[in-house]
Amino acid sequence: MIGLSSYLVLAALVFSIGLFGVLTRRNAVGILLGIELMLNAVNINLVAFARFHGDLTGLIFTLFTISITVAEVAVGLAIVIAIFRVRRTVEADRLDLLRG
Amino acid sequence: MTVETVGFWVVAAVLLASSLAVVLTPNLFHAVLYLAAALVATGVIFLLLDQPFLFAVQLLLYAGGVVTIVVFAIMLTERLVGERIRQTSRHLINGAIVSAAIFAGIAGFLLRAPLATPRPEQAGDATAPIGRALVGPFAVTFELLGVLLVTALIGALYFARGEE
C-alpha cells in the first residue's frame, strides 16, 4: 500500500528538479519549463492530500491551479516573443536592461 | 505487491526520469517533449489517486494546451532567429546544491510530520461533487477564473501581436 508520504516525497523531488531547471537554464523558455514542473509537483501534493483526507477542496484547487498555469504560460510566452522581437535573444543573462 | 504499488513505482520512475530530462537535455524542443511525458505521468498519478476527471483535465489542458503553446513559441523564435535554439546551462553545481538543500528541508519536514493517515475508501466518483462545488461554494472563484482567462488571452494577444 502506497502511503501519503510516498506521494509527498515524489512531489518534493519533482519540485526540486524544477527548481534546479529554473536556477540553471539560460533560455527563458527553459526557465518556464522548470516553473511548469514545480507547479506540477504542487498539484500532486494537493490531489494526494485531498484523496487521503477525503476532502474535495484540494481537487477544486488543483483545477484552479491548472487553469491559472495555462494563463500564466500564455502570457509568459507572449512576453518571451515580445522580448525576442526587441532584443533578438531569449537568454536570461543578457536581458539585464534594469541592472544598476 | 499489489497493482497499485507496482504502478506507483513505475510511474514515479518515469516521472522523475522525464523531469530530469526536461532540465538537462540541451535541445529545447526535446525538453518540451520530455515535459509532455512528465505531465502525462502526473496524470497517471492522479489516476492512481482515483481521480479520473483530473486525469482528463491534465491531459487536455496541460499535456495538450501548454505543450502546444510552448512548441508554437519555440517555432516562432526559431523562425525569427533562423537557427535552432540550443540551450546551455550555467551554475550547475550551485543549482544542484540549492535544489538538494530545498529537498532536504522538505524531506526533513515530512519525516517529522505525523502523516500516518490511512487511505479512506473512495466514496464514488468525485466528478459530480466537484461540479456541484464549482457552482456552489466556489462559484465566485470560478467566475473570477473566467475573468482571469479572458484577461490573459487579451494580454497575450497584445504582447504577441505584430507591428501593424
Side-chain angles (χ1 to χ4, degrees), chain A residues 24-42:
Chain A
T24 57
R25 283 305 200 194
R26 286 180 196 276
N27 191 307
V29 179
I31 295 176
L32 270 177
L33 296 187
I35 295 176
E36 290 302 304
L37 279 181
M38 293 167 76
L39 287 163
N40 216 37
V42 173

Side-chain angles (χ1 to χ4, degrees), chain A residues 54-71:
Chain A
D55 192 349
L56 201 65
T57 315
L59 305 180
I60 310 270
F61 267 68
T62 310
L63 283 178
F64 287 161
T65 50
I66 288 177
S67 312
I68 290 173
T69 307
V70 172

Side-chain angles (χ1 to χ4, degrees), chain A residues 4 7 12 22 25 35 38 43-44 55-56 63 73 75:
Chain A
L4 174 59
Y7 288 100
V22 171
R25 283 305 200 194
I35 295 176
M38 293 167 76
N43 284 343
I44 295 178
D55 192 349
L56 201 65
L63 283 178
V73 168
V75 175

